[in-house]
Amino acid sequence: MYREKLIGCDVVIWALHSDNRSTTYEASCLRRLLGGTGGTGGTDSAALANKLTFVMTKVDILTPPSWIFALHRDSGVFAPGARLADKLAAKALHYEEVFVRPWAHALVSTTYNPGGFAHRDDRLGYDDYTIRYRGYVSAEVCQNYQRRFPAEAEVFARLRDNHRVLACSALFRFNLAQLMVAVVNKLGPGATARFRRLLGEAEQLADVPVDTMRGLGNFLIWDGARKLLDLSDPSLPPKL
């Protein structure tokens, strides 16, 4: 039933809980959906594999909880601290190895052609509207192409985005803009033109009002003798 429904979708977002310590069950489900080990499900399996976008959800619960709130007037955006950013990157890469790399033979990555792109090889091709890579665009593949063709580094970054696992938090509105861009990219080059205005406003998805931020955690900073900061204190100015 899932396979039939998903094949009819344009894009499939597969949510992976960020605090999950075992991927065995979900990897097994993915193999069943894609037709068994080795991707023996034929063209439908290849089509479905290319619809999938894997998202690591609820990253706000991971520890160490070192999040930065970058304030701008009465709102701001959340970003992970250095240690947490490294942890998110490592965990996302692990999920990529488990859920994306095994289906490399079935994957095709596409992005729009901004004009002037003229590079081909046995996996890379293009026409007036589309640039296409046949296979899995790993971080290594992306970096190798960027070194060879530095002027088109952004093109290869977009091809890479097709196969990255995105770390997201709806609570902190973290990486929601990147998820929107990934979804639109999966819809094809024509969608990029149709959703151009929406994509231009995507960064606003990360904006969190200060009052909302205060409600996401009641942090009390105490130096042993006096209270330095209590985020739940309504008397705090909106700009902190």
Side-chain angles (χ1 to χ4, degrees):
M1 179 188 69
Y2 276 108
R3 181 180 172 85
E4 180 182 346
K5 295 295 184 184
L6 295 181
I7 287 175
C9 295
D10 294 314
V11 180
V12 178
I13 297 175
W14 190 301
L16 301 161
H17 198 293
S18 61
D19 201 31
N20 186 12
R21 288 166 174 76
S22 174
T23 58
T24 303
Y25 175 73
E26 292 203 1
S28 174
C29 290
L30 181 62
R31 285 195 297 272
R32 291 176 63 188
L33 281 172
L34 297 184
T37 305
T40 57
T43 56
D44 282 349
S45 290
L48 178 52
N50 285 290
K51 295 174 188 285
L52 292 171
T53 293
F54 291 92
V55 177
M56 194 167 70
T57 65
K58 301 181 180 179
V59 297
D60 50 272
I61 69 174
L62 292 179
T63 56
S66 177
W67 285 90
I68 299 167
F69 187 72
L71 185 67
H72 178 66
R73 296 182 181 176
D74 57 352
S75 65
V77 297
F78 279 99
R83 286 178 60 202
L84 183 56
D86 289 344
K87 184 171 185 175
L88 293 180
K91 201 169 186 72
L93 186 59
H94 169 67
Y95 280 154
E96 189 178 314
E97 291 292 316
V98 172
F99 293 100
V100 181
R101 186 182 288 274
W103 311 101
H105 58 280
L107 297 177
V108 176
S109 182
T110 61
T111 188
Y112 65 90
N113 190 342
F117 187 93
H119 307 295
R120 292 185 189 275
D121 59 27
D122 58 342
R123 290 185 176 271
L124 184 68
Y126 68 94
D127 57 30
D128 290 342
Y129 306 101
T130 307
I131 300 166
R132 181 179 291 103
Y133 180 85
R134 183 173 51 83
Y136 164 49
V137 185
S138 66
E140 295 79 10
V141 167
C142 177
Q143 290 164 6
N144 287 338
Y145 275 112
Q146 288 177 328
R147 282 193 291 267
R148 288 172 58 191
F149 311 114
E152 279 79 36
E154 180 59 31
V155 168
F156 296 108
R158 291 201 305 272
L159 290 171
R160 164 74 180 138
D161 286 345
N162 277 249
H163 300 149
R164 285 196 307 126
V165 174
L166 291 172
C168 295
S169 167
L171 186 67
F172 286 176
R173 305 182 71 82
F174 174 68
N175 265 356
L176 300 187
Q178 286 78 357
L179 178 57
M180 177 185 286
V181 172
V183 167
V184 171
N185 203 34
K186 282 283 177 74
L187 292 173
T192 304
R194 293 196 299 272
F195 289 100
R196 188 177 300 277
R197 180 178 177 184
L198 184 64
L199 290 174
E201 300 172 351
E203 291 300 327
Q204 296 178 14
L205 288 172
D207 200 54
V208 179
V210 169
D211 287 343
T212 301
M213 179 273 291
R214 288 176 178 169
L216 299 179
N218 181 18
F219 298 102
L220 178 63
I221 299 177
W222 189 264
D223 68 356
R226 60 199 173 100
K227 180 175 69 174
L228 300 180
L229 178 65
D230 182 355
L231 284 181
S232 67
D233 186 350
S235 66
L236 283 174
K239 296 182 182 180
L240 297 183

